[in-house]
């Protein structure tokens, strides 16, 4: 029902280019604006949305919203090349329909593809790595940027990492922290 009542909203966390010390883009963060509980974090509802199959329509709607907002910002700030990052769930990597949906959203919102970045968790990719790699390559062919999020929380397979068509690797804090706990981890 929350989907039908448009209770899922995006908040945009700024991303700063530290070299230039200026705004580079945003990460779109979904929240459920529950009528009684207020803002509910994704940790409380994403797993239910994935299990029920609602994650696909929710994500498509949020992708469209993020691209519409990005297009508005880029019209407003023509001299900048702002981007937006949006999380993609594991469920999208098991279906090729995401590629067609992305193509339509980019066209309809007049979003420049390389200004959209999709973030996929390492564990989502590793559920069916070969299929995920095929879909990620098709997304990459659209010109959309790809990022692996939370690297180091799952399989941390460097051999698969070489096969992934990703632009950015976001290393999880737990992975980096373990490097300090002994010589073997540091190496």
């Amino acid at each position: 029902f929350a989907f039908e009542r448009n209770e899922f909203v995006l908040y945009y966390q700024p991303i700063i280019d530290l070299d230039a010390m200026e705004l580079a883009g945003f990460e779109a963060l979904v929240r459920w604006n529950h009528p009684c509980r207020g803002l509910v974090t994704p940790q409380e509802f994403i797993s239910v949305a994935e299990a029920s199959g609602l994650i696909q329509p929710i994500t498509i709607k949020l992708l469209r919203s993020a691209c519409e907002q990005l297009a508005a910002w880029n019209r407003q700030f023509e001299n900048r090349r702002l981007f937006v990052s949006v999380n993609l769930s594991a469920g999208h990597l098991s279906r090729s329909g995401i590629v067609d949906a992305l193509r339509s959203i980019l066209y309809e919102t007049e979003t420049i593809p390389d200004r959209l970045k999709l973030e996929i968790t390492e564990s989502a990719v590793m559920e069916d790595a070969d299929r995920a790699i095929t879909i990620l390559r098709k997304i990459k062919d659209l010109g959309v940027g790809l990022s692996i999020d939370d690297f180091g929380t799952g399989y941390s397979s460097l051999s698969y990492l070489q096969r992934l068509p990703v632009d950015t690797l976001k290393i999880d804090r737990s992975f980096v922290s373990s490097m300090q706990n002994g010589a073997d981890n540091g190496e």
Side-chain angles (χ1 to χ4, degrees):
F1 296 120
F3 176 72
E4 295 163 357
R5 292 189 305 251
N6 294 318
E7 293 176 358
F8 294 106
V9 294
L10 288 177
Y11 285 82
Y12 295 93
Q13 178 175 305
I15 298 173
I16 306 297
D17 177 339
L18 293 178
D19 289 333
M21 291 305 293
E22 65 183 21
L23 180 67
F26 299 89
E27 181 171 359
L29 304 171
V30 65
R31 298 294 182 264
W32 177 10
N33 191 10
H34 190 280
C36 298
R37 295 177 56 200
L39 292 180
V40 179
T41 64
Q43 292 80 4
E44 295 183 65
F45 65 84
I46 291 294
S47 60
V48 173
E50 286 177 337
S52 69
L54 283 175
I55 195 68
Q56 282 80 17
I58 291 170
T59 302
I60 297 303
K61 188 171 190 172
L62 296 175
L63 268 169
R64 181 176 303 283
S65 179
C67 285
E68 288 169 349
Q69 180 61 66
L70 178 62
W73 282 327
N74 280 315
R75 282 190 302 274
Q76 184 178 358
F77 305 106
E78 292 178 18
N79 60 335
R80 294 193 181 198
R81 290 187 44 84
L82 297 175
F83 67 87
V84 68
S85 293
V86 179
N87 291 311
L88 201 62
S89 79
H92 287 97
L93 296 181
S94 64
R95 297 175 182 85
S96 58
I98 186 64
V99 177
D100 292 333
L102 271 171
R103 186 180 295 109
S104 294
I105 290 169
L106 292 169
Y107 176 77
E108 293 165 11
T109 62
E110 299 180 359
T111 299
I112 299 168
D114 70 356
R115 294 190 187 177
L116 175 62
K117 300 180 185 304
L118 298 180
E119 296 188 7
I120 303 100
T121 63
E122 173 192 14
S123 56
V125 171
M126 298 310 290
E127 282 182 21
D128 184 351
D130 292 330
R131 177 135 177 92
I133 290 168
T134 299
I135 291 174
L136 292 176
R137 285 189 178 134
K138 289 178 182 179
I139 292 171
K140 190 74 180 156
D141 288 344
L142 294 175
V144 173
L146 293 171
S147 177
I148 297 294
D149 196 8
D150 296 335
F151 183 79
T153 59
Y155 301 93
S156 303
S157 172
L158 293 176
S159 63
Y160 270 108
L161 186 59
Q162 292 176 338
R163 294 178 50 203
L164 297 174
V166 297
D167 305 297
T168 309
L169 183 65
K170 293 174 72 176
I171 300 172
D172 189 76
R173 179 184 335 212
S174 64
F175 186 78
V176 176
S177 296
S178 70
M179 291 179 182
Q180 299 173 356
N181 300 331
D184 291 340
N185 292 338
E187 291 175 20

